[in-house]
Protein backbone atom coordinates (compact mmCIF):
# COMPACT_ATOMS: atom_id res chain seq x y z
CA UNK A 1 0.00 0.00 0.00
CA UNK A 2 2.94 2.33 -0.45
CA UNK A 3 2.05 3.37 -3.97
CA UNK A 4 4.08 4.83 -6.78
CA UNK A 5 3.96 8.35 -5.35
CA UNK A 6 4.57 7.46 -1.72
CA UNK A 7 2.68 6.33 1.34
CA UNK A 8 0.72 8.97 3.30
CA UNK A 9 1.27 8.62 7.03
CA UNK A 10 -0.32 10.44 9.95
CA UNK A 11 2.29 11.07 12.65
CA UNK A 12 0.68 11.57 16.06
CA UNK A 13 2.62 13.72 18.52
CA UNK A 14 2.11 14.72 22.13
CA UNK A 15 3.41 17.58 24.27
CA UNK A 16 3.00 19.15 27.69
CA UNK A 17 3.00 22.68 26.29
CA UNK A 18 1.10 24.06 23.27
CA UNK A 19 4.37 24.93 21.53
CA UNK A 20 6.11 21.63 22.24
CA UNK A 21 8.54 20.01 22.28
CA UNK A 22 6.50 17.40 20.43
CA UNK A 23 7.17 13.70 20.98
CA UNK A 24 5.84 11.19 18.41
CA UNK A 25 3.83 8.11 19.34
CA UNK A 26 5.42 4.97 17.96
CA UNK A 27 2.85 2.56 16.55
CA UNK A 28 3.48 -1.16 16.39
CA UNK A 29 4.07 -1.50 12.65
CA UNK A 30 3.38 1.75 10.78
CA UNK A 31 6.36 3.83 9.60
CA UNK A 32 7.82 6.52 11.85
CA UNK A 33 11.61 6.48 12.16
CA UNK A 34 13.37 6.69 8.83
CA UNK A 35 15.97 4.08 9.77
CA UNK A 36 13.43 1.51 11.03
CA UNK A 37 12.95 -1.34 8.59
CA UNK A 38 9.38 -2.41 7.78
CA UNK A 39 8.13 -4.94 10.30
CA UNK A 40 7.33 -8.49 9.21
CA UNK A 41 3.75 -8.86 10.48
CA UNK A 42 2.52 -12.25 9.27
CA UNK A 43 0.34 -14.05 10.30
CA UNK A 44 -1.64 -11.11 11.74
CA UNK A 45 -2.03 -7.55 10.54
CA UNK A 46 -2.19 -4.96 13.35
CA UNK A 47 -5.62 -3.45 12.86
CA UNK A 48 -4.89 -0.07 14.45
CA UNK A 49 -1.93 0.53 12.16
CA UNK A 50 -4.05 -0.53 9.20
CA UNK A 51 -6.82 1.91 10.15
CA UNK A 52 -4.26 4.69 10.50
CA UNK A 53 -3.33 4.24 6.85
CA UNK A 54 -6.96 4.82 5.87
CA UNK A 55 -7.11 7.85 8.15
CA UNK A 56 -4.21 9.35 6.20
CA UNK A 57 -6.31 9.24 3.02
CA UNK A 58 -8.91 11.67 4.37
CA UNK A 59 -9.51 14.44 6.89
CA UNK A 60 -9.53 13.68 10.61
CA UNK A 61 -13.09 15.05 10.85
CA UNK A 62 -14.20 12.11 8.70
CA UNK A 63 -12.44 9.54 10.91
CA UNK A 64 -14.23 9.39 14.27
CA UNK A 65 -12.07 6.45 15.39
CA UNK A 66 -9.01 8.68 15.11
CA UNK A 67 -10.46 11.33 17.42
CA UNK A 68 -11.39 8.57 19.86
CA UNK A 69 -7.86 7.17 19.69
CA UNK A 70 -6.35 10.58 20.44
CA UNK A 71 -8.74 11.10 23.34
CA UNK A 72 -7.68 7.80 24.91
CA UNK A 73 -4.00 8.59 24.35
CA UNK A 74 -4.51 11.86 26.19
CA UNK A 75 -5.84 9.83 29.12
CA UNK A 76 -3.16 7.12 28.88
CA UNK A 77 -5.83 4.43 28.67
CA UNK A 78 -3.83 1.21 28.94
CA UNK A 79 -6.42 -0.75 26.94
CA UNK A 80 -5.51 1.46 23.99
CA UNK A 81 -1.84 2.21 24.55
CA UNK A 82 -0.96 -1.48 24.67
CA UNK A 83 -1.87 -1.62 20.96
CA UNK A 84 1.10 0.64 20.26
CA UNK A 85 4.78 -0.18 20.26
CA UNK A 86 5.54 2.17 23.15
CA UNK A 87 3.74 4.94 25.01
CA UNK A 88 6.37 7.71 25.15
CA UNK A 89 5.02 9.56 28.18
CA UNK A 90 6.11 7.55 31.21
CA UNK A 91 5.37 9.96 34.05
CA UNK A 92 2.10 11.58 33.01
CA UNK A 93 -0.01 11.79 29.84
CA UNK A 94 0.55 14.72 27.49
CA UNK A 95 -1.64 17.79 27.75
CA UNK A 96 -1.82 18.26 23.98
CA UNK A 97 -1.85 15.95 20.97
CA UNK A 98 -1.54 16.98 17.35
CA UNK A 99 -1.08 15.11 14.07
CA UNK A 100 1.08 15.84 11.04
CA UNK A 101 0.75 14.37 7.57
CA UNK A 102 3.87 13.11 5.80
CA UNK A 103 4.46 11.28 2.56
CA UNK A 104 6.85 8.36 3.04
CA UNK A 105 8.94 6.86 0.24
CA UNK A 106 11.26 3.89 0.15
CA UNK A 107 14.88 4.87 -0.33
CA UNK A 108 17.00 3.48 -3.14
CA UNK A 109 20.66 3.01 -4.00
CA UNK A 110 22.80 5.94 -5.12
CA UNK A 111 24.67 6.11 -8.43
CA UNK A 112 27.42 3.93 -7.00
CA UNK A 113 24.88 1.24 -6.11
CA UNK A 114 25.25 1.87 -2.38
CA UNK A 115 22.18 1.66 -0.17
CA UNK A 116 21.61 4.32 2.52
CA UNK A 117 21.14 3.36 6.16
CA UNK A 118 17.58 4.71 6.11
CA UNK A 119 14.76 2.60 4.72
CA UNK A 120 12.52 5.64 4.30
CA UNK A 121 12.56 9.28 3.33
CA UNK A 122 9.62 11.54 3.97
CA UNK A 123 8.17 14.88 2.90
CA UNK A 124 5.98 17.03 5.13
CA UNK A 125 2.57 17.65 3.57
CA UNK A 126 0.41 19.56 6.02
CA UNK A 127 -0.97 19.72 9.53
CA UNK A 128 -3.44 16.86 9.76
CA UNK A 129 -5.03 17.80 13.08
CA UNK A 130 -4.37 20.88 15.25
CA UNK A 131 -3.45 20.38 18.92
CA UNK A 132 -6.36 19.24 21.10
CA UNK A 133 -6.82 18.46 24.79
CA UNK A 134 -8.97 15.88 26.52
CA UNK A 135 -11.09 18.66 28.05
CA UNK A 136 -11.93 20.21 24.67
CA UNK A 137 -15.76 20.43 24.65
CA UNK A 138 -15.88 20.17 20.86
CA UNK A 139 -13.97 16.88 20.97
CA UNK A 140 -16.19 15.46 23.71
CA UNK A 141 -19.35 16.50 21.87
CA UNK A 142 -18.05 15.00 18.61
CA UNK A 143 -17.29 11.66 20.27
CA UNK A 144 -20.62 11.53 22.05
CA UNK A 145 -22.47 12.31 18.83
CA UNK A 146 -20.64 9.44 17.12
CA UNK A 147 -21.45 6.97 19.90
CA UNK A 148 -17.98 6.55 21.39
CA UNK A 149 -17.43 5.45 24.99
CA UNK A 150 -15.93 8.16 27.20
CA UNK A 151 -15.56 6.12 30.38
CA UNK A 152 -12.31 6.39 32.28
CA UNK A 153 -11.63 2.71 31.67
CA UNK A 154 -13.17 0.06 29.49
CA UNK A 155 -12.44 -3.59 28.86
CA UNK A 156 -11.68 -4.93 25.41
CA UNK A 157 -13.83 -8.02 24.94
CA UNK A 158 -12.64 -11.13 23.17
CA UNK A 159 -8.99 -10.82 24.16
CA UNK A 160 -6.77 -13.82 23.51
CA UNK A 161 -3.55 -13.01 25.32
CA UNK A 162 -2.00 -16.40 24.60
CA UNK A 163 -2.44 -16.02 20.84
CA UNK A 164 -1.26 -12.42 21.04
CA UNK A 165 1.91 -13.53 22.82
CA UNK A 166 2.62 -16.16 20.17
CA UNK A 167 2.16 -13.65 17.34
CA UNK A 168 4.43 -11.07 18.98
CA UNK A 169 7.12 -13.69 19.55
CA UNK A 170 6.89 -14.62 15.86
CA UNK A 171 7.26 -10.96 14.90
CA UNK A 172 10.27 -10.57 17.19
CA UNK A 173 11.86 -13.73 15.79
CA UNK A 174 11.54 -12.63 12.16
CA UNK A 175 12.83 -9.12 12.87
CA UNK A 176 16.38 -10.47 12.87
CA UNK A 177 16.10 -11.42 9.19
CA UNK A 178 16.08 -9.22 6.14
CA UNK A 179 12.49 -8.79 4.84
CA UNK A 180 13.52 -9.35 1.22
CA UNK A 181 15.21 -12.62 2.19
CA UNK A 182 12.04 -13.77 3.94
CA UNK A 183 9.85 -12.98 0.94
CA UNK A 184 12.18 -14.75 -1.48
CA UNK A 185 12.33 -17.76 0.84
CA UNK A 186 8.55 -17.97 0.99
CA UNK A 187 8.28 -17.69 -2.80
CA UNK A 188 10.90 -20.39 -3.36
CA UNK A 189 9.21 -22.66 -0.80
CA UNK A 190 5.87 -22.13 -2.52
CA UNK A 191 7.29 -22.93 -5.97
CA UNK A 192 9.10 -26.02 -4.69
CA UNK A 193 5.92 -27.17 -2.95
CA UNK A 194 3.83 -26.77 -6.10
CA UNK A 195 6.45 -28.58 -8.17
CA UNK A 196 6.59 -31.44 -5.65
CA UNK A 197 2.81 -31.85 -5.59
CA UNK A 198 2.65 -31.74 -9.38
CA UNK A 199 5.40 -34.38 -9.64
CA UNK A 200 3.72 -36.70 -7.15
CA UNK A 201 0.28 -36.59 -8.71
CA UNK A 202 1.10 -36.41 -12.42
Amino acid sequence: MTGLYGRPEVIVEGAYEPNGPWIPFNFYAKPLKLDAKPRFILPHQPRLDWQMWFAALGAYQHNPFFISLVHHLLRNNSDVTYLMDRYPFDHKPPKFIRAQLYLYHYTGPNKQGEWPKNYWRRDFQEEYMPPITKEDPNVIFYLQENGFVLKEKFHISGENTQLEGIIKRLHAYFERYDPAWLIYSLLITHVVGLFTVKTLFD
Side-chain angles (χ1 to χ4, degrees):
M1 293 186 180
T2 300
L4 182 62
Y5 301 104
R7 177 189 178 95
E9 286 291 344
V10 174
I11 304 301
V12 182
E13 301 172 323
Y16 295 116
E17 301 293 335
N19 295 321
W22 295 94
I23 301 173
F25 288 88
N26 195 5
F27 286 71
Y28 184 71
K30 72 188 292 295
L32 173 64
K33 296 179 180 178
L34 301 182
D35 61 349
K37 68 180 179 181
R39 187 186 289 269
F40 191 86
I41 59 171
L42 287 177
H44 171 71
Q45 183 180 36
R47 288 296 184 262
L48 176 58
D49 300 62
W50 187 53
Q51 286 296 321
M52 287 295 294
W53 182 78
F54 286 106
L57 300 179
Y60 75 93
Q61 297 95 330
H62 301 153
N63 289 283
F65 95 90
F66 179 77
I67 306 298
S68 177
L69 168 67
V70 169
H71 194 255
H72 286 295
L73 293 178
L74 284 165
R75 291 158 46 199
N76 191 13
N77 188 329
S78 59
D79 283 328
V80 173
T81 58
Y82 100 100
L83 297 171
M84 312 186 80
D85 191 44
R86 190 179 71 85
Y87 188 76
F89 297 90
D90 298 326
H91 303 297
K92 64 177 182 178
K95 175 70 174 176
F96 304 90
I97 285 183
R98 72 176 186 182
Q100 308 282 71
L101 183 65
Y102 287 86
L103 198 60
Y104 276 70
H105 309 266
Y106 285 123
T107 56
N110 58 25
K111 293 180 179 179
Q112 288 73 38
E114 299 169 334
W115 286 84
K117 69 173 184 177
N118 289 341
Y119 288 86
W120 304 95
R121 61 180 178 85
R122 70 181 188 180
D123 301 311
F124 176 76
Q125 301 297 296
E126 61 183 357
E127 180 181 69
Y128 182 79
M129 184 192 72
I132 65 171
T133 66
K134 66 180 180 181
E135 298 87 5
D136 189 326
N138 293 324
V139 172
I140 295 173
F141 176 77
Y142 178 86
L143 292 173
Q144 289 174 337
E145 285 294 298
N146 283 277
F148 282 90
V149 177
L150 298 181
K151 297 177 182 178
E152 285 301 315
K153 288 288 182 180
F154 65 88
H155 179 69
I156 299 177
S157 60
E159 290 181 90
N160 189 330
T161 54
Q162 185 176 6
L163 177 60
E164 178 187 346
I166 293 172
I167 290 173
K168 287 193 172 182
R169 283 195 294 273
L170 278 173
H171 291 172
Y173 174 79
F174 283 115
E175 271 191 343
R176 70 186 72 177
Y177 299 106
D178 182 81
W181 180 88
L182 286 171
I183 293 172
Y184 290 140
S185 298
L186 290 172
L187 287 173
I188 292 171
T189 302
H190 182 68
V191 170
V192 170
L194 288 176
F195 179 78
T196 303
V197 170
K198 188 175 185 301
T199 302
L200 290 174
F201 292 97
D202 277 354

